[in-house]
Amino acid sequence: MVHILPARSAVPVEETWDLSSLLNGSTDFNEELTNLEKQALALNKKFKGTINDSKMVILVLTDYMLFTEKLVLVSTHANLTASTDQTNDKAQLQASKFGATAAKIGSQLSFITSELLSLSTETLEQAMEESTEFRVFLKNLLRQKPYQLHPEAEKSLAAFSSTFNAPYSLYNTTKMADINFGDFEVNGQKYPLSYGSFEGDWEVETNTKLRRAAFDAFSTKLKEYQQTTAKTYDMQLQTEKTTADLRGYASIFDYLLFDQEVDRSLYDRQIDLITSELAPHMQKYAKLLQRVHGLDQMTFADLKISLDPSYEPEITVAQSKQYIDDALAIMGPDYIKMVDRSYSERWIDFAQNKGKSTGAFCSSPYGDHPYILISWTGRMNEVFVLAHELGHAGHFYHAHQEQNIFNGRPSLYFIEAPSTMNEMLVANHLLKDSSDLKFRRWVISSIVARTYYHNFVTHLLEAAYQRKVYKRIDAGQSVNAGILNELKRGVLEDFWGDAVDINDGAELTWMRQPHYYMGLYPYTYSAGLTISTQVSKRILSEGQPAVDEWLEVLKAGGTQSPTELAQMAGVDITTEQPLRDTISYIGELIDELVYLTDEIEKADGVEISQS
C-alpha cells in the first residue's frame, strides 16, 4: 500500500547517503566556494596571456586539472544535497549559489580554451607528444577548433552559463516543489498520490481500478502545469538552437552529437530500427499482459504491470546486497569490494521522502567514491535498478583509478553500456540452473519489463519524440504544450498500434522526463544496452576472457571513442547487426514468456485464450 511520504528530516540516517567526504572534512560550503573563486582568479592572473608554446600548455593544464578536481567535489555536494529534497530552501539556495559562482569561475577561466585554440595545430600536437596525460584533452580540443568563438564571446557565454542552465532548474522546481497531487478517491476511499508514489507504486498496482484511477488523477494534475513546463522546455530548446547557430554547426543535431563522437547515422539508425522492428514484439507482449490479467482493453496505464504479480517477492536492502554480490561475482573481487563498500560506507541514498528526485541515478565525482540515489520500495525489480546504478559506479570507480579527470568520462553514447551490463548479469544469474516455470517466467518478465522495456521502449520512444521536437526547432520553429502533446501521442500510437489504447494523459509523459534537458541522451540507453547485450552473451559463452576484456573497457574511461570501446569488447557498432541481434533476442524472450504462460496455465487447468 502507498504511504504518505515523510519529510527528509524524518528519514532514518542509515537510509541516506553520507556526503561528508565531498568537502574534505569541511562543514562550511560557502568557505569552500569562496576558496574556489580565489583560486580561479589566481589561475587567471598566473596564466592569462602566457600560453604560447607546448611547455606552457602543459603547465596551465596541470594547474587547471587540479583546480577542476576541487570544483567537481563542491559541485557534486551542491547538486546531491538539492536532489534529495527539492522543498529544502537552504539546499536549493546553496545549489543556486554554486551555479552563479561556477558561471563566474567559467568566465574567469574561459581564456584557457581560447588561448589553447589560438595556438597552431603543430604546437598542440607537440604538447600531446610531450605529455600523454593531456593527449585526449587536446585531441578533443582540436575537434572543437572550427566551432570556437572569439575569446571575449567565449568569456561572455561562460558568464551566462547558470542562466543557460536555468530551464532544468525551473523544470525540477515545478515538478518536485510546486505540484501537489493530493489524494485520489476510489469507491469512497482516499489514497495518497505523489510523483514518487505514482512511479514507484501506483503505475505497477495490480488492482486495475486503483491503477487507472491513479493514472487519471496523476495526468489531470500534470495537465494543470503543462503550459509552464512546455515554456520551460522551449527555453531549453531555443538556447541549444542559438548556441548551435552561433558556433556554426550545420544543425542542432550536429551540435548535440558532437561530444558523443558519433555521426547522425548511428543516432538515426538506433531510433528507426527499434521503432519499426521492435514494435511487433512489444505489441505481442502487451497482448500477453492483457490476456493474463483479463483486461477488457489494454491501455497505456496498464503497460507497467507485472506479468505475474503474485510471484513478485518483497526484498529488503540487506537482501538486495546478497543478490547483487552473487550476480556480479563474475566481475571479480575488486568489483565486489566496491559493491560492499557502497552499502557499508553509505554511498547509496535509499530513503523515500517528500521532495526527493524521482527515478535513480549515479554521480561519480573524480577524487571521491560514487553516489547512488534510489527510492527503495521493497520490490525485487529494484535489484535490477540498483545493479544498473552500480554499473555506472563500477565504470567510473575503475576508470578514475586508471585515468585523470580529463580522461575518465567516455562519450554519452557509451555511458549506459556498463549499467545495463549489470542488469543482464543479474538476469543471467537468476536464470542459471532454474527449471521452475513460474520462476523462469518471473525472471524473464523482469528482463523484458524492466531492462528492455525501460531502456529499449520508454527511453527509445522518448528519443523518437525528441527527434521530432528538434526537427521543428532546427527549422526555426518553437513548441508549446499542444504541439508536444500531439508529437508524443503520435509516437506512442505509431509504436503500439492497435495493441494498446493510448488513453488520455499518456501524451503528457513528456512532462515527466528530465533527460530532455540533457541533449540527445534518451537514445543512448538503447545504444548502451545493444552493446551490453552482446557482451553479456560473450561472458556467458566465453567466461573469464570476456570479463577481463570488459574490465579493460571500464578502465579505459574516455580515452577511446564509443566505436573503439565497443570494439575492445568485441562488438562492432558501425554495422546494424548488433542492434538487429538484440531486437531478435528481445523477441525470443517474449516468445518464451508466451510459451511459459501457456504451460503454466495448462498445469493450473486454465483454459488458454488466444488473443
Side-chain angles (χ1 to χ4, degrees):
M1 179 57 65
V2 179
H3 300 287
I4 296 174
L5 294 177
R8 181 71 178 180
S9 58
V11 169
V13 68
E14 61 270 18
E15 295 181 10
T16 66
W17 51 26
D18 178 7
L19 304 181
S20 59
S21 61
L22 287 168
L23 294 184
N24 297 317
S26 169
T27 56
D28 193 337
F29 173 84
N30 291 325
E31 184 180 328
E32 289 290 325
L33 209 51
T34 300
N35 288 338
L36 284 171
E37 279 193 90
K38 291 177 181 177
Q39 290 169 37
L41 186 60
L43 274 174
N44 183 289
K45 289 182 177 179
K46 181 178 180 180
F47 288 110
K48 189 172 183 180
T50 70
I51 309 173
N52 47 31
D53 58 24
S54 60
K55 179 183 175 182
M56 290 306 298
V57 169
I58 294 167
L59 285 175
V60 71
L61 287 181
T62 300
D63 281 13
Y64 181 49
M65 181 174 68
L66 295 173
F67 173 82
T68 303
E69 291 176 9
K70 297 173 186 174
L71 181 69
V72 162
L73 293 177
V74 179
S75 168
T76 304
H77 186 278
N79 291 329
L80 295 190
T81 303
S83 71
T84 54
D85 189 0
Q86 296 283 340
T87 67
N88 184 321
D89 289 343
K90 180 181 177 182
Q92 300 311 312
L93 289 171
Q94 181 175 276
S96 295
K97 184 173 183 180
F98 175 81
T101 303
K104 292 180 187 176
I105 289 171
S107 185
Q108 284 281 356
L109 299 184
S110 66
F111 77 91
I112 296 175
T113 299
S114 293
E115 290 192 22
L116 287 172
L117 287 176
S118 69
L119 297 174
S120 67
T121 300
E122 291 74 22
T123 301
L124 293 176
E125 288 176 342
Q126 184 181 346
M128 291 163 70
E129 288 299 317
E130 293 172 3
S131 177
T132 56
E133 188 170 26
F134 301 121
R135 184 173 293 166
V136 174
F137 179 91
L138 291 170
K139 178 186 172 186
N140 290 332
L141 201 66
L142 279 170
R143 289 182 65 235
Q144 293 176 28
K145 202 163 188 173
Y147 309 107
Q148 186 73 1
L149 303 177
H150 186 278
E152 287 304 311
E154 293 291 348
K155 183 177 180 180
S156 298
L157 286 173
F160 275 105
S161 62
S162 64
T163 304
F164 296 153
N165 292 330
Y168 183 41
S169 298
L170 179 57
Y171 166 78
N172 276 325
T173 300
T174 304
K175 176 180 176 179
M176 301 309 304
D178 279 352
I179 301 180
N180 180 2
F181 289 94
D183 298 332
F184 68 98
E185 188 173 318
V186 176
N187 294 335
Q189 185 171 346
K190 291 185 176 181
Y191 300 90
L193 184 63
S194 66
Y195 246 107
S197 68
F198 178 75
E199 295 187 345
D201 292 292
W202 293 122
E203 221 174 11
V204 294
E205 167 63 43
T206 56
N207 183 307
T208 299
K209 197 167 187 177
L210 280 178
R211 180 178 64 254
R212 290 179 177 176
F215 179 87
D216 289 342
F218 185 77
S219 300
T220 297
K221 181 57 69 171
L222 280 185
K223 195 169 187 177
E224 294 176 12
Y225 292 83
Q226 63 177 332
Q227 304 297 342
T228 298
T229 308
K231 193 64 180 176
T232 302
Y233 184 34
D234 191 51
M235 288 164 55
Q236 172 77 19
L237 296 167
Q238 299 303 333
T239 300
E240 290 170 336
K241 172 61 175 169
T242 301
T243 304
D245 289 347
L246 277 175
R247 294 196 176 280
Y249 287 91
S251 73
I252 196 169
F253 293 97
D254 293 299
Y255 164 58
L256 294 171
L257 288 170
F258 180 84
D259 286 340
Q260 294 186 22
E261 298 180 75
V262 294
D263 62 39
R264 179 78 178 270
S265 65
L266 268 71
Y267 166 74
D268 284 330
R269 183 178 70 202
Q270 203 73 22
I271 297 172
D272 293 338
L273 263 182
I274 297 176
T275 301
S276 61
E277 299 195 12
L278 182 62
H281 297 304
M282 294 309 301
Q283 289 170 19
K284 181 187 286 188
Y285 174 70
K287 289 177 180 177
L288 178 63
L289 282 177
Q290 181 180 3
R291 168 188 138 191
V292 169
H293 286 270
L295 300 176
D296 55 338
Q297 62 176 161
M298 188 69 188
T299 76
F300 185 81
D302 304 318
L303 283 168
K304 295 291 183 71
I305 53 179
S306 171
L307 189 59
D308 186 1
S310 67
Y311 208 88
E312 181 74 33
E314 289 203 5
I315 187 166
T316 65
V317 167
Q319 289 169 330
S320 73
K321 180 179 177 298
Q322 190 60 56
Y323 274 104
I324 289 173
D325 277 353
D326 291 346
L328 302 185
I330 193 171
M331 296 293 286
D334 286 347
Y335 201 99
I336 293 302
K337 182 180 178 182
M338 178 214 71
V339 172
D340 291 346
R341 287 183 63 197
S342 72
Y343 282 84
S344 63
E345 297 177 17
R346 287 173 51 211
W347 298 3
I348 308 170
D349 198 274
F350 290 101
Q352 288 193 76
N353 61 262
K354 185 180 179 183
K356 185 174 179 178
S357 292
T358 58
F361 67 74
C362 176
S363 176
S364 299
Y366 193 91
D368 197 23
H369 58 72
Y371 295 86
I372 293 170
L373 179 141
I374 185 173
S375 295
W376 195 261
T377 64
R379 286 190 172 88
M380 184 66 181
N381 168 62
E382 278 155 2
V383 172
F384 286 89
V385 180
L386 188 51
H388 178 105
E389 300 308 334
L390 283 165
H392 288 305
H395 187 187
F396 291 105
Y397 181 83
H398 284 80
H400 290 170
Q401 288 178 331
E402 302 291 329
Q403 310 295 339
N404 66 36
I405 193 170
F406 293 150
N407 295 357
R409 191 173 185 86
S411 156
L412 194 64
Y413 185 92
F414 191 83
I415 215 79
E416 295 298 338
S419 54
T420 52
M421 165 63 82
N422 277 13
E423 294 189 57
M424 298 305 299
L425 293 177
V426 169
N428 290 340
H429 173 73
L430 291 173
L431 282 174
K432 189 180 179 183
D433 301 326
S434 171
S435 58
D436 180 87
L437 295 182
K438 287 192 174 182
F439 182 77
R440 283 189 65 81
R441 183 173 70 165
W442 174 77
V443 175
I444 294 170
S445 66
S446 295
I447 303 170
V448 172
R450 157 62 216 173
T451 302
Y452 285 110
Y453 187 102
H454 189 66
N455 299 301
F456 252 76
V457 180
T458 299
H459 290 322
L460 197 281
L461 293 183
E462 289 165 1
Y465 151 81
Q466 187 183 42
R467 184 171 63 174
K468 290 178 181 293
V469 171
Y470 276 121
K471 283 181 177 179
R472 282 187 61 88
I473 301 303
D474 215 32
Q477 298 174 303
S478 59
V479 295
N480 58 27
I483 290 167
L484 296 175
N485 289 340
E486 182 182 349
L487 291 176
K488 186 64 177 178
R489 175 173 284 277
V491 166
L492 294 173
E493 289 176 342
D494 287 346
F495 185 82
W496 290 110
D498 62 3
V500 178
D501 175 34
I502 307 302
N503 49 308
D504 289 345
E507 73 281 358
L508 296 170
T509 51
W510 64 266
M511 294 178 64
R512 295 164 53 184
Q513 186 50 268
H515 289 161
Y516 299 138
Y517 297 83
M518 303 173 190
L520 297 178
Y521 187 18
Y523 92 102
T524 65
Y525 279 86
S526 62
L529 186 51
T530 300
I531 296 167
S532 62
T533 297
Q534 301 308 309
V535 178
S536 68
K537 286 183 177 181
R538 284 195 62 211
I539 289 175
L540 272 180
S541 61
E542 300 173 31
Q544 199 59 47
V547 172
D548 292 341
E549 287 183 9
W550 184 244
L551 288 171
E552 289 304 308
V553 171
L554 301 186
K555 292 174 183 177
T559 59
Q560 307 290 327
S561 71
T563 301
E564 292 166 335
L565 289 170
Q567 195 69 53
M568 286 174 66
V571 182
D572 183 3
I573 60 171
T574 64
T575 75
E576 63 183 30
Q577 198 57 47
L579 180 54
R580 288 190 178 279
D581 288 346
T582 301
I583 292 171
S584 177
Y585 175 65
I586 299 171
E588 291 168 9
L589 290 176
I590 291 169
D591 287 344
E592 186 167 359
L593 286 179
V594 174
Y595 167 77
L596 289 169
T597 299
D598 289 347
E599 293 301 304
I600 291 166
E601 290 182 351
K602 283 179 191 174
D604 292 344
V606 176
E607 184 177 338
I608 299 171
S609 65
Q610 299 300 329
S611 57

